[in-house]
Amino acid sequence: MSNQKVPIERVRNIGIMAHIDAGKTTTTERILYYTGRKHTIGNVDEGTATMDWMDQEKERGITITAAATTCFWRDHRINIIDTPGHVDFTAEVERSLRVLDGAIAVFDATAGVEPQTETVWRQADKYNVPRLAFLNKMDKLGADFWMSVESIEKKLCAQPLVIQLPIGAENGFEGVIDLVKMKAVYWLSEDGAEYEYREIPGDMLEEAEEGYEELVMHLSEIDEEILEIYSESGSVPEDRLKAAIRKATVNNVMVPVLCGAAFRNKGVQPLLDAIVDYLPSPLDLPPVKAWTPENNILELAPDSNGPLGALVFKIMVDPFVGKVAFVRVYSGGLKKGSYVLNVNKNQVERVSRLLFMHANRREDADEIVAGDIAALVGPRNTVTGETLASKGMPLLLEKMEFPEPVISVAVEPFSRDDEPKLVKALNALAEEDPTIKVYVDEDSGETILSGMGELHLEVITERIRREFGVRFRVGHPQVSYRETITETVEVEGKYIRQTGGRGQYGHVVMRFEPISEEEDINFDFVNKTVGGVIPKQFIPAVESGVKEAMMSGPIAGYPMVKIRAVLLDGSYHEVDSSEIAFKIAASMAFQKATKQAKPILLEPIMKLEIVTPEEYMGDVIADLNTRRSKIEAFETRGNLRVIHAYTPLAELFGYATVLRSLSQGRAVHTAQFSHYQEVPAKVMENVLRKVV
């Protein structure tokens, strides 16, 4: 049972992440089978995978929502989150990595590092998550172990630590050599449940000895004594090697590399051993930072007797139990029926039920403690990224950041009866997924739904129809353009109103300047006033006024980005000054400045990777050239060619269908948001014509 208690040092909170179709969900299914969590092996292609429980996941054969489950191996409790591989669902990966202690990166051994692998790897780097690399599909035509290892080093700038070697490849893949034990592992039964350690085959002994020596050399970088032991005796005790590998992994210095073929049921049990042996428990990681009401930083150790600190990392609307909040408990504990404080909103919420989730099935629990990942039923007003704490000790954990949507569609109900249902469905899904934005366009009165890509919007609209039973129409996809300024200007904003009684007075002098692409921020506010020319309490109102004014740019009313606002000077009135007056003054200054600062329109540029047989290369490139693409590089992957390009999102609608017809269905592509870029003058005319 999932609610079986184990000491915190035997808890592993891990995620499984990868590029789409590398075999994440298949690997997870095998893990559940070998740990006894399931009695049959689920299959993604047949729609029987436990972790892909949504109808759309079964139909499309992809993971859309991060699913959580728990299993046990060698008396260790492993909480697993299987994350999506498609770039449109990047928020699911982001929020999962934020609360996990370790991760398994699954690679397709025929392709090595693929575009979405880079994205999820960077996300894991951001949260400093220790990782294992599992080179999957070693049985597939074109599988290349060393090419994959090299791609990890070159493309991900990581230090791979090879702890297994494959015995054979493609159809000849038989098993693996465990370099730590210096034994060969073979799988005996069809379902992979039976396996045994044997002596290393003679024809691979030399390669294995070289691999062992290299492993020792790498580990001696973090433990000098290992080299001394090896020099004296020619080998290092297994437990000593494991301790060094664990240290290198937990400290994020190296990434242990394992291999296998999950679909053929080979290589998964040693991967489970590696999770237990090398990935951290909550105790192995630095304490998380929390902020007190006085803005002091407090370090929260993973202690079940400490103050409560739990982060809500996902909201799900469950048809059976209603709204469910997934939490990671960093400190303290929670009992069923207890009351907690939502620190962000300063609201008390009741926890009516505690659940351990197994994909979309659930098991009740009476209590959850530090180190646990579980689900709460009861909190009504809590959303993703908010902190739950004890009423007497309101500690705030760090917020979660999510990318802005890049594509929108207009949605309208078929009839008046469908309207309240549509509003309810949109609100519920926006609460679940922070990358969904819903708003009403003031000019047209249309309801606009924004998301991360065509597939993302397709899945959302399909869910509204199926899960909420709403009939509605969907407009054509629209690009989410942005606006910015290109010059630095200094302006004055003055708001003075006399209305007989108390008036309004706000006066600011501000400089607005563009932020360079190198700086990874969209807005920056700097207060350079001295001597109290504007009282402290009005400064946040100035920032707020600029932020609100940035929601609508001077060219076509699109949101503005990449702007630094510097408050230089101003004045106030003892009686008439107020927050609202300074907010309006700042907004007036901003609007004046943006007209003078040579504003430009920006469009989202997508990083495109196309994998195609060579005979279709010419047609694919010719088509890309008609789409304003900038071709960056070519590479060869087995007998396929890979094209790397940057293409405006506006030129990619329906591209999947075009690519299929150009290549007789044999080419595939992935596109992910890269950056915003100025819209060329000719294209801008068309954009503005549509807006007007």
Side-chain angles (χ1 to χ4, degrees):
M1 290 290 282
S2 292
N3 50 18
Q4 177 186 325
K5 287 285 166 221
V6 299
I8 194 166
E9 64 272 14
R10 294 214 301 267
V11 171
R12 301 287 181 270
N13 290 315
I14 66 158
I16 300 192
M17 61 186 206
H19 184 88
I20 191 168
D21 210 27
K24 287 179 317 306
T25 302
T26 303
T27 304
T28 312
E29 288 298 314
R30 296 328 183 251
I31 286 173
L32 297 180
Y33 180 67
Y34 300 132
T35 57
R37 197 69 184 73
K38 285 187 69 189
H39 302 298
T40 56
I41 296 179
N43 190 319
V44 175
D45 297 335
E46 292 169 11
T48 55
T50 306
M51 304 300 274
D52 285 351
W53 55 271
M54 286 169 65
D55 288 340
Q56 292 96 315
E57 292 178 313
K58 290 175 180 176
E59 288 162 14
R60 297 169 192 271
I62 62 168
T63 302
I64 289 168
T65 179
T69 190
T70 298
C71 58
F72 293 86
W73 185 255
R74 284 173 36 195
D75 293 328
H76 284 67
R77 175 197 181 108
I78 304 173
N79 296 320
I80 302 173
I81 296 182
D82 175 26
T83 63
H86 197 286
V87 68
D88 282 14
F89 308 104
T90 189
E92 289 285 339
V93 184
E94 181 83 18
R95 56 182 168 193
S96 300
L97 287 170
R98 168 72 171 79
V99 299
L100 292 168
D101 302 328
I104 300 167
V106 179
F107 298 81
D108 179 335
T110 67
V113 173
E114 297 176 90
Q116 184 62 5
T117 322
E118 290 185 57
T119 304
V120 296
W121 197 270
R122 280 197 303 273
Q123 287 172 305
D125 281 342
K126 176 176 163 184
Y127 296 116
N128 213 22
V129 177
R131 276 146 276 179
L132 300 175
F134 181 61
L135 306 186
N136 191 28
K137 305 195 177 185
M138 279 305 304
D139 60 325
K140 193 175 160 189
L141 191 65
D144 189 331
F145 179 82
W146 290 110
M147 174 277 292
S148 299
V149 171
E150 193 180 323
S151 72
I152 291 171
E153 192 167 10
K154 285 189 175 168
K155 292 186 178 177
L156 303 178
C157 301
Q159 174 62 67
L161 184 70
V162 175
I163 60 171
Q164 282 184 356
L165 295 174
I167 302 172
E170 301 179 341
N171 283 341
F173 177 65
E174 294 178 54
V176 300
I177 291 171
D178 182 333
L179 293 176
V180 178
K181 292 181 187 292
M182 279 303 273
K183 293 278 185 188
V185 192
Y186 290 92
W187 279 263
L188 309 176
S189 57
E190 187 67 31
D191 68 354
E194 291 175 42
Y195 61 103
E196 67 178 16
Y197 284 86
R198 298 181 195 160
E199 292 305 312
I200 294 167
D203 61 344
M204 285 199 70
L205 197 54
E206 191 180 331
E207 190 185 344
E209 283 167 351
E210 284 173 11
Y212 185 83
E213 191 174 322
E214 196 162 318
L215 175 65
V216 169
M217 293 303 165
H218 280 308
L219 292 175
S220 67
E221 292 171 24
I222 60 158
D223 186 343
E224 290 174 10
E225 282 183 19
I226 279 184
L227 194 54
E228 288 174 33
I229 297 167
Y230 179 67
S231 303
E232 286 170 17
S233 61
S235 67
V236 181
E238 189 184 321
D239 59 344
R240 192 63 196 271
L241 272 184
K242 282 185 174 177
I245 296 169
R246 181 179 183 77
K247 184 179 174 186
T249 309
V250 170
N251 293 335
N252 248 323
V253 179
M254 297 173 197
V255 180
V257 178
L258 301 93
C259 60
F263 188 70
R264 299 277 171 238
N265 309 320
K266 289 175 180 170
V268 177
Q269 293 94 334
L271 178 63
L272 278 161
D273 286 333
I275 292 168
V276 166
D277 291 334
Y278 309 131
L279 287 180
S281 79
L283 294 176
D284 294 315
L285 297 172
V288 295
K289 289 191 176 81
W291 281 261
T292 66
E294 299 75 38
N295 216 21
N296 295 324
I297 293 177
L298 191 71
E299 292 196 330
L300 286 184
D303 177 4
S304 54
N305 296 315
L308 175 63
L311 184 73
V312 176
F313 68 93
K314 179 180 167 74
I315 295 291
M316 189 175 90
V317 179
D318 187 298
F320 300 103
V321 295
K323 183 174 164 179
V324 174
F326 283 80
V327 295
R328 162 69 194 264
V329 184
Y330 286 101
S331 171
L334 258 174
K335 284 189 165 65
K336 185 171 75 173
S338 61
Y339 287 87
V340 292
L341 177 71
N342 176 324
V343 184
N344 303 72
K345 293 195 170 97
N346 197 25
Q347 286 182 348
V348 174
E349 300 259 45
R350 183 172 185 267
V351 178
S352 56
R353 284 175 76 187
L354 296 171
L355 304 169
F356 284 110
M357 302 297 285
H358 179 51
N360 66 331
R361 298 199 298 281
R362 56 202 76 73
E363 292 169 11
D364 278 277
D366 295 324
E367 184 184 17
I368 56 173
V369 294
D372 282 341
I373 288 178
L376 316 180
V377 181
R380 294 170 180 274
N381 303 309
T382 298
V383 297
T384 298
E386 292 184 336
T387 304
L388 301 178
S390 311
K391 286 189 282 183
M393 199 161 183
L395 298 173
L396 184 67
L397 295 165
E398 194 176 347
K399 266 177 69 182
M400 299 168 81
E401 301 290 336
F402 295 102
E404 285 294 309
V406 293
I407 182 171
S408 306
V409 288
V411 291
E412 62 167 324
F414 266 133
S415 67
R416 282 216 172 138
D417 292 345
D418 290 307
E419 194 169 345
K421 285 195 217 165
L422 180 61
V423 171
K424 184 184 173 187
L426 288 169
N427 289 341
L429 291 175
E431 213 173 87
E432 273 191 30
D433 184 345
T435 58
I436 295 173
K437 295 276 186 289
V438 182
Y439 64 95
V440 175
D441 187 295
E442 287 179 11
D443 298 326
S444 65
E446 291 178 314
T447 300
I448 306 296
L449 170 65
S450 303
M452 297 305 295
E454 280 188 279
L455 179 62
H456 191 206
L457 291 181
E458 212 178 286
V459 167
I460 295 162
T461 50
E462 194 61 34
R463 285 188 67 189
I464 294 169
R465 286 193 178 100
R466 289 187 190 190
E467 292 174 32
F468 296 89
V470 183
R471 297 177 310 144
F472 66 104
R473 296 182 195 87
V474 181
H476 292 295
Q478 302 292 321
V479 176
S480 292
Y481 292 95
R482 294 287 183 266
E483 298 180 29
T484 193
I485 57 174
T486 55
E487 290 192 355
T488 299
V489 291
E490 205 169 292
V491 293
E492 188 175 37
K494 214 173 227 183
Y495 179 67
I496 305 171
R497 284 283 180 276
Q498 291 303 135
T499 53
R502 185 180 164 180
Q504 294 282 6
Y505 183 95
H507 170 223
V508 294
V509 177
M510 300 188 75
R511 183 171 72 237
F512 294 96
E513 53 194 54
I515 292 175
S516 69
E517 265 305 317
E518 288 71 49
E519 291 183 73
D520 192 22
I521 49 171
N522 275 328
F523 173 68
D524 187 26
F525 178 79
V526 183
N527 175 23
K528 285 199 172 174
T529 58
V530 287
V533 290
I534 298 173
K536 247 188 217 170
Q537 69 264 31
F538 298 137
I539 303 296
V542 175
E543 182 177 356
S544 177
V546 174
K547 277 184 176 171
E548 277 188 26
M550 282 177 69
M551 296 304 291
S552 180
I555 299 173
Y558 288 108
M560 299 200 75
V561 294
K562 293 285 179 188
I563 294 174
R564 178 171 285 111
V566 185
L567 179 59
L568 302 169
D569 201 0
S571 61
Y572 74 103
H573 188 281
E574 286 284 359
V575 177
D576 292 350
S577 282
S578 64
E579 286 187 7
I580 192 73
F582 273 99
K583 196 173 179 180
I584 294 169
S587 176
M588 289 165 70
F590 181 80
Q591 285 164 0
K592 193 192 295 183
T594 52
K595 286 171 186 157
Q596 297 172 23
K598 296 201 174 162
I600 56 169
L601 192 65
L602 302 172
E603 64 180 340
I605 304 296
M606 309 302 278
K607 186 180 179 185
L608 197 62
E609 182 183 281
I610 301 156
V611 182
T612 177
E614 185 144 17
E615 59 262 40
Y616 307 113
M617 273 271 287
D619 291 342
V620 171
I621 290 168
D623 178 71
L624 283 176
N625 289 332
T626 68
R627 296 174 186 272
R628 299 192 282 129
S629 296
K630 179 186 171 192
I631 294 174
E632 194 75 3
F634 300 98
E635 68 174 282
T636 302
R637 194 178 286 166
N639 56 356
L640 298 169
R641 297 301 300 275
V642 184
I643 305 164
H644 298 274
Y646 289 94
T647 308
L649 174 63
E651 305 290 343
L652 285 177
F653 293 140
Y655 183 63
T657 309
V658 173
L659 186 62
R660 271 199 297 272
S661 64
L662 286 174
S663 64
Q664 296 179 9
R666 291 171 64 195
V668 292
H669 82 290
T670 53
Q672 62 190 76
F673 172 71
S674 171
H675 61 281
Y676 275 96
Q677 187 174 292
E678 185 176 354
V679 175
K682 280 185 182 175
V683 179
M684 188 159 131
E685 287 170 23
N686 292 334
V687 174
L688 295 181
R689 208 175 294 128
K690 284 176 191 170
V691 172
V692 174

